[in-house]
Each structure stands twice: as C-alpha cells, then as structure tokens.
Amino acid sequence: MSEFQPKIVAFVCNWCTYAGADLTGTSRIKYSPNVRIVRFPCTGRIDYMLLTKAFASGADGIIVSGCHPNDCHYTSGNFYARRRWIVFKKLCDFMGIDTRRIVFSWVSAAEGSKWADIVNTTNEEIIKLGPYDSYHKLSTQDILE
Amino acid sequence: MEIINKILDKSSLTVLVEKLNASGKEVYAPVNKKGITEFEKVANLQEMDFDCIATKQSAKSLVFPKVEKLMNFEKTFDDVIVKNVDITAFPEVIAFGTRPCDAAGFIPLDAIFTTDNVDEIFKARMDKLTIISISCKKADDFCFCTSVNGGPGNTSGSDILLTEMSPNEYYAEIITEKGKSILDANAALFKDSAVVDKTPLVAKIEQQFTEEVINEKLKTLFESDIWDTQAMRCVGCGACAFVCPACGCFDIQDETKGKDGVRHRCWDSCGFKLFTLHTSGHNPREKQAQRWRQRIYHKFSYQPEQQKQFGCVGCGRCSRACPSDMNIAEHLTQIAKG
Amino acid sequence: MEEIKKIARELLAENKVQVVLGFEKGTANKVRPAFFTKAEDIDKLIYNEACIHNIALYLKKDTCQHAKGVAITATPNVVRSILQLSAENQITEEKIHIIGITHEGKCAGILDFKAAEEFSKTQPKGLKPEDKALIEKIQAMSLEERFDYWVEAFSPCIKCYACRASCPMCYCGKCNVETNNPQWIPVASHKYGNVEWHMMRAMHLAGRCINCGECNRSCPVDIPLNILSYMLSDFVLDEFDSEAGLNSVFTSALSAYTVVDKENFIK
Amino acid sequence: MARIGVFICHCGENISATVDCPKVSEVAAKFPGVAYSVDYKYMCSDPGQSLVVNAIKEHKLTGIVVSACSPRMHEPTFRRACAEAGLNPYLCEMANIREHCSWVHEKGDRTDQKAIDVVRMMVEKVKRNNALMSIKVPVTKTALVIGGGVAGIQAALDIANAGHKVVMVEREPSIGGHMSQLSETFPTLDCSQCILTPRMVEVAQNPNITLYTYAEVESVEGFVGNFNVKIRKKAKSIDETLCNGCGMCTTKCPQKKIPNEFELGMGNRPAIYVPFPQAVPNVPVIDRLNCTYYKNGKCKICEKFCQPKAIRFDQEDEIIEVAVGAISICTGFDVKKTDFFPEYGYGKHKDIIDGLQFERMASASGPTLGAIRRPSDGAEPKKIVFVACAGSRDPAKGIEYCSKICCMYTAKHAILYKHKVHDGTAYIFYMDIRAAGKNYDEFTRRAIEEDNAQYIRGRVSSIYERDGKLIVIGTDTLMNHETVEIEADMVVLATAGVANQGAEELAQKLHVSYDQHRFFSEAHPKLKPVETNTAGIYLAGACQSPKDIPESVAAASGVAGKISCLFSSSELTREPLIAFVDRIAAPDYSSCTGCFLCQPVCPYNAIEKEDIKDRAGNLIKSLAYINPGLCQGCGTCVAICKSKSIDIDGYTNQQMYSEVDALLNS
C-alpha cells in the first residue's frame, strides 16, 4: 500500500465505453481499482474544463473514452469531441500541462478487454510518471497551506 | 506631531534600506522588471527604479492585496469550523519610494475600510505599514494631483517624505510617529536641517480643476447625458479600478477542496457589469455609462459626503492603464467647465 | 486620409449612417477610439499608424447597436473582426459600412462584406516577428519549463479583464468566468485562478481569434497572452485548414469536423 | 436541505464477496446530506424495492442512490420504485459497484475505497438532480410519403391499411417510379408492370391516401408528430376533377416530336401527355415548355377537342399546406447516363445504351414493343456486350460504392436478350458477380448455363465505332489479362445508380443528413436503418443507397411499421433528459449571445433561432432555442457553448462538476 496509487478519472460516454466497461465486469476481467468512472451521454458532452478540474482536484491521470468514429449513438458527437481534444491537447502541451496524463481512447460496447487494458496501461504509465504534484500544488496552494 | 526636518545623503539612504531590511521589516520599492515598474520587495536600494513617475499599479496591494485570505474553514458532517487569519503574524512593511500621490491614496482607502465598521485585517496591515515617499521631480500628461488637493511634494499620507535636493542629498520630512520611530532607530544616518522650500525641487503640475467645484457640479449632473458621451469608448474592463490607489471595492469568494475551504477577498470594480447584476437578471447599472457615472460620483460625491474624503489622488494611473484612453482628468475638467 | 474623411462626411451627411467609428487625438501622443455623429465633426477624425485599437469591438456596444447605420474606419484587423462577428451572427451587413484601410494605411473605399472577404485575404496578418520568436522559444522549452513559464507569466494578472473587454470576439453577455454554480474558474487572481482563466479564454478563442493582439496591448501588466491564441490559430489553420476572419458566413473550426481529423493520439 | 438515501446492494455475493457492503453503508451514512444508509442482499428483489419505497416515505428522502449494478441494468427499476413512493423518478441515481467494481477488482481496501468514492460521487450528483417530467408531444396521425415509386407505394399502402391518413407527393405526373419502366424483374422474370400497376391503382383508390402528382415538397417545418409541410402542386393545366382520361387531347396535339422521358428518349410524346398508358392518375399534363400555345400564343387544339372542358391554360401552381406527424422519404435513385463515360464515347454512339434504356426496349409496352433493336438502324443486334460496373466501384469516377443491382439486372438482360434473339450472343464484362440474395446466384448461373451468356471477368477500357460496329476493348483477367476485342452490334452499360436529382435540396428542406454521394443518411447503419437523425423522418428505398425491389419494399414496410408505432398513441412520451438554453429576466433574456456556433454540431437540427421582440415587434435579440421535440440529449451543444448558456438535464454542469469534485476531494 505504501507504493504510489494514482488517482485516475475516466470520462466516458454512456453508449460505448460505459457499456464496454460493463462488459469488462460481466466478463470478470480484472483491472486496477485506481480508476473512477464518470458517465456522460456522449463524448461530445465532455467539457474540457472538467479535465483541468479533475487535475486541479487531485487526479494524476485522466482517461477520456467514447465510441469509435462512425459508431456514435448520436452519429457525430465523438467527431466534435475529437476535434476539441486535438486543440485542447495542443494548448495543454504549449502551456506545459502534462498530456501524457490524459489518455484518449475509443472503447466500444464490445471491447470489454480493451477497457481493462486501457485502465491497466494508463495506471502503469501514471505510476511511472508519479503524482501530478505541480498542478496539484498550483491548484491548492491558495486554499490549503 | 510637528514635522521634523532632516537631511539624508544618498549613501545613508542606502544604509537605511539595508538596516530596515536587517531589522526584519519587509521593504517594498518600485522595481523595473521587464519594462514595467511595480512595487516589489527589495533587499537594497540598487534594485530600485528612481526614475519612474508612477508604478503601473499603486501601492495599495501592500494593505489590500488583489487576493487576500480572510479565513479558513472546514466542513464537518453537521458543522463548519472557522479558522480566522492570524493578524498578529502580518509582517512590518515599509513602502519605500512611493510618490506623494501613492501615500495620499492610503487615506481614502483607509476611510473605506474603517468608516462605520473597522476591517480588522485591513487595519492590522495598515498599522504595520510605514510609508517613506519621495517627492516627484517629473510629471507626465496624466498627472493631476494638484487638481485634487495633492502635489508633487505633498506630505499627506507619508510617514517620511524625501525630496531630492541634489543627486547625492535628500531633504527628509519626518511627518508621523511611525516616521519618527524610524528616525529614532537610525538617528545616526540623519543630519539636522532647516525647513527647505521644496517648490524649486519638485515638478510643476498645472491645476485643471478643484475637487470642490466637481463636487458642486455633480449635485445637478446625475441625469445628464454627459455620462453617455464620456463613457462611449469605455470598454468596461476593471483596469482603472485595479490600478487605482484609492479604489477599495472587493468581492468575497469561497473556494473549497473537499471539506477544506478558504474565504478570499478579491479586487472588484464598479466598471464590471457583474458588479451590480442581480440574480434575477435585473441590473440597476445596466449601461456602461451608469457604471462610469458611479465611478465619478463615488470618488467625488459619495466618499466626501460619507467619509469626508475625496476618493481620487490624481496619480493618473487609471488613464495610463486604460486601453481606450479614457482620461479622467480631461473628463473632470469637462465636468468642471460644463 | 482625406479620402476617408470624405467618405465619412458623405455617409453622415446623407444620413446613411448615424455614427462613424474611428479615431481622434488622445492624451499626449496617444490616439483614442471616437464616435462621430455629425459631418462637421469629421475634421477631428484621424488615421495614422498609432491607430491600432481594434475598434470593431464597439460594433457590439450600445452606441452602434442603437444606430441604424454605422460606418467604421477599418484596418485589416478590424475587417477580419467584422467578418468573424458576422459569421457568428453578431452583426448584420445592412447596417455596417466598412471604410477599408490597407495595412499600408491607404483607403480602400467602402467594402461590402464580399469585398471585405477579398480584402481580408490579401492583407497580411498582425503576427509580429517577436511573437513568433516567443512561441518558438516556449515550444523549445521542456514540459516543466513551459508550465513554470506560464504560471509565472500569468502571476501578475489582476483579472481586470481588459483582455476580454478589448477583444471583439469576447462578446458574451455573461463570460464563462462569471458563471457560478458551478464556479468553473476561480474568481481570485491567484496563480491557479489565472492559469485556468487564460487557458479557458484561449480555448474559447481557438479557431475564432483573428490575431489582432488587442488583448496583449490592453493588458496593464503586459502578459503575452496573445501568443496563446496566435499559436492556436496557426495550429487550427494547419490542422483543419480553417481561419477566422476571412468569411462573413458561418465558419468555426470547433463547430465542425471531418472524418479524417487526426486520430493518432487516440488509443 | 438534501435528505439522500443510500442503498447498498450485496447482489447476493456478487458484490459483497469483494466489497465490504456494511462498511460502505456505514461510511456513506456520514456523507453530508445523507439521511439514511442501508445495505441489503438484493435491492432489485421485491422486498428490496419495498425497502427503498418505505425508506423514501419514512425518512422523507429527497433523492436516492442505489449502489448496485450498472444503471443500464436496473435504473428503470429503481426509478419506478421512486415513483411508487411519490418521489420524482429522476431523483434516483445508481452507483455502479458491480460491473465497475466488485467484478473487476480484487477484494481489499482499495476496492472498498473505490466503492465508497463512487457512492459519494453519486450522492453529490443526486443532490443536484432536478425533478423532471416526461415530455409529451402531440402526434398528428397523418404521414407524408415523398415519392411514389415502389417504396413510396408500399409505405403508403401499409400505413393507410393500418388506418392512418397518408399524403403522397410525386414529382412526375404519374406514380410508379423506376419500377414502372422495367420490363421483367429478377430473379423470377415476372412482368414489372403486371405486379406494380394493381398497387398503383390501390393507392389511387385507398380512401386514406391523398395523392398529389406533379407536385413537390416546398418546405417543411416542425418536428416529430408535428410537421407543417407546404406542397407545391405544379400546374398541370388540366382540371383534374373534370378530366375523364379519354386521351383525345393527347391524340390531337400537333406537337408530337418531344422526346419521351419515360422511354428515356427512345420514343416521342406530344406536348399534352400522360407518361405511360397505365399512369395513375390517368390525367394528362401540358408540358408548357413545348406546348405551341405557350410558345406562340396560338393553338388550343386540345381545348377544342376536350369534351369535359377540362383544359385550364391559366392554371397556376398551387401551394397546399398539410399537417403531418411523420415523413417517409422514398425519392428513389437515378442512373448515370452514357455521356458520363469518355472512354465509351461520351454517349455519342447511338448503339451504346444504359440499362434502363434496355429495360424499355425489352418491355412489351416500350418503344420497340419488346423487340431488341439497334437504335441507330433498327437492326437486330447479333452480338451484344453488357458492361457491368460502368462507373460503380470506381474511385477515379468518384463513385467508390457498388451499385448493387447491376449484377442481377445484367444477368436478367442477357437472359431476356437470348429469349428474344435466339441466335445472338451476349457478352458480359464484370468485376465480380455479386448475387447474394434469395435465388439470385441460381439466376446468374441460369444466365451462364442455360442462356449461354459469355461472362468475361475484366473491365472495358474503350469502345469505338468501326464500320457500323462497336469495337469493345477489354481484358480478361482470368485469361492472363489478355486483351479481348469484341465487334459488337450493341453495348449496354450497367451505369452506376446515383442519388436522385434534387436529393440534396430536399435533405436541406427536411434537415436530414446525406452522405458524400448525396444519398440520405440513416440514423444508425445497423440498428436504425430506416430512421433518419431527425425524429419522425424515415427513409425507404433507393434514396438511401442503391437497392433492389424486395429490399426497397421491405424497408418501406419497415417505415410503415415505425410510423404506425408512432401513430399508436396520440401523444409521444420522451425522456426529459434533453438540453435547454437558460432564460433570465430582461434586458438580457438569456446569457445566450446568439452566436449559433452550437447549431451545426446538433445531429438532430434541434437548435432553432428564437427571436425576442419588444411589444412593438422590434427585434431585441436572437437566442438559440432547443426544440424539445427534436433533442435527443447528446449534450454536444452544452460543451460547445462558451457562455455556458446551454445545459442538459440528467448531466447538468452542476452535476458533472460535483461528481468530479466529490470523487477526488474526499
């Protein structure tokens, strides 16, 4: 327990990745318990500000996942989301926010094992990177002393 | 207290700053960083920018920072535990190299925070602040202190006022007890002096109007369309209020992280639409012109009425900072003449 | 210059417009935005290389909103802003008479939106070499250095919102920073509040910023925040072949997509 | 003050074997705002549900969190329980501690902690849930069918026979579509008109169907259950109520040399005409572009001979407004013409025809009365070449897709040819034979084996004329890529099926999406093949992609089924989890600035413009308005809105923000 256990938040869409994670469960595939899933109707709904909010609130890693292109329950939400991520990622990179800690993925409702895989590899990657101290410090220094 | 007149040479001044630092006081002075001069903590006089007419921002943040913690709190299951800020832990601060207008700015600011109800945090900071100003040798097109009862060698607000007599010699007026305690602690650095006429030593700033005339005129101008014409180019930012030494408006904000939280006092400005916006969507000051009018009335009508103190010291910072060149002195002159 | 004045005078005299938006002499050597409502006042109208304020901003303000017709002396940046405002349904063509001024300061006559689109395409953008150099400098930094750079760069911010107030594209009646419940962006101008605020603003301007640099010019504490949007504008152009301020009808890179958008970062 | 109830389910041992349920319940009881917390063996069982119902009543709960399986499993169950207890069903949230926790993690503190965190997250969310009411939308039980081809006919008849009103709009003077042009149909070779005509008549006679021919959809407004449609009924110059279809006018018309569209230019028609003898309705129209009277102001011979006095030269287009609840698009397809192919002579060789022209030629009622004849000289072609995939599956021509019907109709053409020209030889150049379908492969085999069609696997690179013959140069990829040269009398190109003319324009009127080939897009390629993204608008037939007759008919019946379901109740109940734009007091009315950057991202075209006007009718502000009848609740507009003026119930900004906050800041 003494070793670093990262906090990972997953923002997922209801129709593909949430269902995919359900399938991981029904298939009894094990993965790291460090991830917490937040359900959205569609990746198009995911506000990039929630990502920075998650980091500010203490997340060490973030997974954003939804339907594969052309599979969106609402046809195109994931396409708009993808474009937003492209821009957001660029801005984060430019501002020195560690985008290695944000994993974007497509996990369909049939990809239970892919979900477990995404969580586990993200978990390992974040353990390697360590806690996201610089952002946590930035966001808390004026609240907690 | 009666003003004590002294002379300080430049090397003594250098020593004074070092000694003040050594005595555990925090010394703030104008420092030019990347082309912008602001009050910064200094260890010695070499860091100071003597040439600056006025820093971009005023010195008010020494007692009224842009963000100030008022208290910490912790939520429990059914209660909130409040931890007040320890006001005794505030450091002794020296504002060094302030201009007479900066020093004068603390008077209306103090009035805002202590009239009727004393703001303990502000007062504690104010009590621990000593102001050592330097008279102005230069002025620019934005300076108008002489129109608002101030002047380039005015002593009000300062604890000590220094006036450059020659490149190596400063005339020092010890104005308050706080000033005297510095003199007493460093008596060896000061030489006795007679009263010096500062007029030839300081900048000439033409008087454009008087506060009293403005005050009088405002009695009938509330519904005038002058506010519309003046505010037309105002973009509605808060730069003027934030750089103003006498603006004291603030907003209270709670920020939390889990069960822990903090209450902040943050600068706010009457120029913002949000300043008066009601939850319903109604806004008593809907138009920028009304907000501009409020700014002028507050400084030249309400404050003199309620706090016996005008809210403007003529430093001209608001006009320098304005992205659309709103020039308050010009606008006031227009009012005075109108 | 005389040509600009002549056009402005005629428009007012013929009552085609009630306001001419331009510049007049300001404090000392400064110039300032000005509103001319009478033909005889046009003598005071000036244009010189100091007139860099993006006065397209005022098209959304009361004075212009209430007028039936508005003329505006428009440098390339202003023209781009006007087109983008039109693309975002904020202004209508019937009302606006653009008196075009080229980047060399020559009068380009009255431009309708179609002509303005052509005009915009031929005029160079406002990106200065030092901005480009700064972007490159930041890009060459390590991740940690970049983060520290920006935290430090934003730390003097006093949240006076002059950047927002001077930006023609920041026309929201209620800015995101003013929404509470939830309070997305801390109101306080501490380091965290500043980073979040400027990041949000850059994101909102991505694909919409016309690169006039007004945010930087108006900033009283001189934060180079324009380069955030510059960098994103360049990126959006490269990535999505989309550029703000060239088109008077709807364009926005982030309200669109193509199926072939970059995918290589998605697992 | 919130009073939240937390119900931790053991799910037998499914959860409790891994997660310490009593501990989670105990910790949850201490969360701010939690008034009641309990764990139980099976929450979804009857006693479990009673536990929930009783707790809501007894503890006056203002919201509940059921911590159990996936909400995709039992959310409806517990929402019902809430409703039973008198609590708004939308004040219920589920914390997934089975699929997302106990089944995927090992027993231990970290797993318990995750369960606790997830419960805390949902407690914070449910505190911010809004009590919502299902959205009721009234339904006008009339369907609009656009297009009177076989798909439209089938859809209209099925809907009408289910007892609902149908309005059918057909652009041409007669219904029937492409099927009425066909000779025989594969794979049974029954006569196309013989099976279609009775159905056309049925449409005309069905009291539930109102038929508008020579008419087009002008505009469509509204949303599911409530569309207002304007139909432009083009002037036929005939009073339909008086015309008895005697045909005297068409016989007497002096203009006789107008290329007949129905015969694809292979025959002529007069200026006043019915497209084909079995037309429904059997009412002629005057082609004003070619009519002598309209051209020169003199003639009116038809009027003279018309006994019932039905000719109306001054008739004008008429706009008819109808209110409908659902729309079926059945506008069909078109085929590329021979002039699309430079390598085949740009259509300048008369003896190169397209498949549809061959159909007319093979039809007993066609221009040659069913005889196969060279258009150039009327000779019987002894060698005929059929080119399959003419244009289809050819990215260079911009048509990457397979037109699907060509393999089958080309085989049919070869068979029909052989039946009519016994000593002739049919060659078929093909890429692959795609004969998937009931009795389809047997049919192509029949063409090869019984009717001796010469299939050559390869493409035709060029066709040119030499001494009155068409020289077809192709390759045989099964014979070492040898060049094949055939001296043919006639060539039939199975040209690509493409979207119908005007499809794009219609899609824009209806606010439905279309693909890069201008075919209408279905809502989901697998699960919603006959729906469009716009609720209440459906697709049948070849307007979606090339389809054969059985597929078109099946889709049409599918649409009819969908529309009948929609019409089964006079109100449509929809989940209220939809987006909305905020409204505040004057003078702002909303924080929405009317930039409409949200409009293009809505897949359902649910975002409309709402004009705020003063009492004098002057426009104050234009705002975005989200039509609750159309919004499906994806929330893409919420994330795109810069001023946060749009929010979405069920996933509001407050809810999502609090979830994240609660998750991390324990």
Side-chain angles (χ1 to χ4, degrees), chain C residues 118-138:
Chain C
E118 289 309 309
F119 177 82
S120 251
K121 281 180 200 126
T122 58
Q123 297 293 313
K125 272 197 277 181
L127 216 68
K128 286 180 274 181
E130 56 263 40
D131 297 324
K132 277 201 178 129
L134 182 54
I135 291 173
E136 276 158 24
K137 186 184 138 196
I138 294 167

Side-chain angles (χ1 to χ4, degrees), chain A residues 7-21 31 34-68 77-78 81-82 84-85 88 101-108 115 118-119 122, chain C residues 184 266-267, chain D residues 100 114 121-122 125 639 651-664:
Chain A
K7 286 183 175 178
I8 299 167
V9 182
F11 297 110
V12 306
C13 84
N14 180 44
W15 303 97
C16 288
T17 306
Y18 195 92
Y31 59 82
N34 292 334
V35 70
R36 308 281 184 267
I37 294 174
V38 183
R39 181 165 73 131
F40 288 79
C42 176
T43 40
R45 165 71 183 91
I46 302 172
D47 201 313
Y48 67 89
M49 281 204 291
L50 280 168
L51 272 62
T52 53
K53 169 70 186 167
F55 278 144
S57 303
D60 302 300
I62 294 173
I63 297 170
V64 183
S65 183
C67 306
H68 287 269
N78 55 353
R82 179 172 68 186
R84 194 155 60 233
W85 300 341
F88 181 63
R101 297 173 182 276
I102 311 177
V103 172
F104 298 101
S105 68
W106 305 131
V107 174
S108 79
W115 174 247
I118 294 276
V119 173
T122 306
Chain C
W184 288 103
I266 303 173
K267 281 189 184 172
Chain D
H100 289 186
K114 175 168 177 178
M121 170 170 102
M122 295 325 283
K125 181 180 186 189
Y651 300 92
T652 62
N653 284 322
Q654 273 209 58
Q655 288 172 311
M656 304 324 287
Y657 189 93
S658 307
E659 277 192 52
V660 174
D661 196 56
L663 207 46
L664 295 155

Side-chain angles (χ1 to χ4, degrees), chain A residues 1 5 7-12 14-50 53-60 70-78 80-81 84 109 115 119 123, chain D residues 14 69-73 75 79 93-96 98-106 109-111 113-115 117-118 121 125 522-526 528 533 600-604 632-641 644 647-648 651-654 656-657 659-661 663-666:
Chain A
M1 267 313 282
Q5 295 297 346
K7 286 183 175 178
I8 299 167
V9 182
F11 297 110
V12 306
N14 180 44
W15 303 97
C16 288
T17 306
Y18 195 92
D22 277 357
L23 180 64
T24 320
T26 36
S27 318
R28 309 295 201 280
I29 304 168
K30 301 285 183 237
Y31 59 82
S32 163
N34 292 334
V35 70
R36 308 281 184 267
I37 294 174
V38 183
R39 181 165 73 131
F40 288 79
C42 176
T43 40
R45 165 71 183 91
I46 302 172
D47 201 313
Y48 67 89
M49 281 204 291
L50 280 168
K53 169 70 186 167
F55 278 144
S57 303
D60 302 300
N70 294 317
D71 282 359
C72 176
H73 179 77
Y74 306 101
T75 21
S76 52
N78 55 353
Y80 293 108
R84 194 155 60 233
W115 174 247
V119 173
N123 188 50
Chain D
N14 276 306
C69 51
S70 171
R72 299 171 60 84
M73 183 86 128
E75 198 171 60
R79 283 197 172 154
E93 289 290 341
M94 289 194 72
N96 185 343
R98 192 179 75 174
E99 284 86 344
H100 289 186
C101 194
S102 70
W103 280 353
V104 288
H105 306 317
E106 309 290 350
D109 288 343
R110 280 161 63 206
T111 301
Q113 188 55 48
K114 175 168 177 178
D117 286 351
V118 173
M121 170 170 102
K125 181 180 186 189
E522 61 281 346
H524 192 283
K526 287 110 195 167
K528 290 182 175 177
N533 268 325
V601 310
C602 178
Y604 307 100
Q632 301 284 321
C634 70
T636 306
C637 55
V638 180
I640 217 96
C641 180
K644 294 268 172 276
D647 213 339
I648 178 170
Y651 300 92
T652 62
N653 284 322
Q654 273 209 58
M656 304 324 287
Y657 189 93
E659 277 192 52
V660 174
D661 196 56
L663 207 46
L664 295 155
N665 296 324
S666 44

Side-chain angles (χ1 to χ4, degrees), chain C residues 40-258:
Chain C
E40 56 267 32
D41 292 345
I42 291 295
D43 293 337
K44 286 190 230 146
L45 175 73
I46 59 166
Y47 176 77
N48 58 41
E49 60 276 18
C51 300
I52 53 167
H53 309 53
N54 193 338
I55 53 174
L57 165 85
Y58 294 105
L59 293 174
K60 282 286 288 167
K61 304 266 179 208
D62 281 353
T63 313
C64 297
Q65 292 281 301
H66 294 154
K68 279 212 179 68
V70 178
I72 177 165
T73 59
T75 55
N77 280 335
V78 175
V79 174
R80 290 167 77 94
S81 307
I82 291 171
L83 291 174
Q84 189 62 23
L85 282 169
S86 159
E88 297 182 11
N89 295 296
Q90 299 302 307
I91 54 175
T92 49
E93 181 168 10
E94 306 83 71
K95 184 166 163 166
I96 305 212
H97 300 252
I98 304 172
I99 307 172
I101 300 171
T102 66
H103 69 285
E104 290 153 323
K106 293 204 181 77
C107 178
I110 296 191
L111 307 171
D112 62 14
F113 279 13
K114 199 154 171 46
E117 286 172 3
E118 289 309 309
F119 177 82
S120 251
K121 281 180 200 126
T122 58
Q123 297 293 313
K125 272 197 277 181
L127 216 68
K128 286 180 274 181
E130 56 263 40
D131 297 324
K132 277 201 178 129
L134 182 54
I135 291 173
E136 276 158 24
K137 186 184 138 196
I138 294 167
Q139 276 165 340
M141 292 177 183
S142 73
L143 186 75
E144 291 75 17
E145 285 168 342
R146 281 201 293 274
F147 187 69
D148 293 343
Y149 172 84
W150 283 112
V151 171
E152 210 37 59
F154 292 142
S155 66
C157 175
I158 50 179
K159 288 217 179 143
C160 68
Y161 302 124
C163 44
R164 183 184 74 188
S166 332
C167 174
M169 289 306 129
C170 274
Y171 51 72
C172 286
K174 190 170 103 188
C175 176
N176 195 350
V177 77
E178 287 161 357
T179 53
N180 46 12
N181 272 332
Q183 185 76 50
W184 288 103
I185 312 280
V187 171
S189 52
H190 48 48
K191 284 183 174 166
Y192 168 54
N194 290 347
V195 168
E196 290 265 297
W197 152 241
H198 289 293
M199 189 171 190
M200 181 277 279
R201 194 165 171 276
M203 228 9 230
H204 280 187
L205 283 165
R208 302 173 55 243
C209 171
I210 57 98
N211 295 343
C212 64
E214 190 68 11
C215 46
N216 178 234
R217 191 193 64 78
S218 61
C219 178
V221 291
D222 218 11
I223 301 170
L225 34 98
N226 57 325
I227 70 156
L228 280 180
S229 344
Y230 281 6
M231 184 279 296
L232 281 184
S233 297
D234 264 6
F235 178 71
V236 164
L237 179 61
D238 284 353
E239 198 73 24
F240 310 127
D241 195 26
S242 164
E243 194 174 348
L246 296 184
N247 212 322
S248 64
V249 287
F250 180 80
T251 50
S252 173
L254 285 178
S255 293
Y257 71 86
T258 63

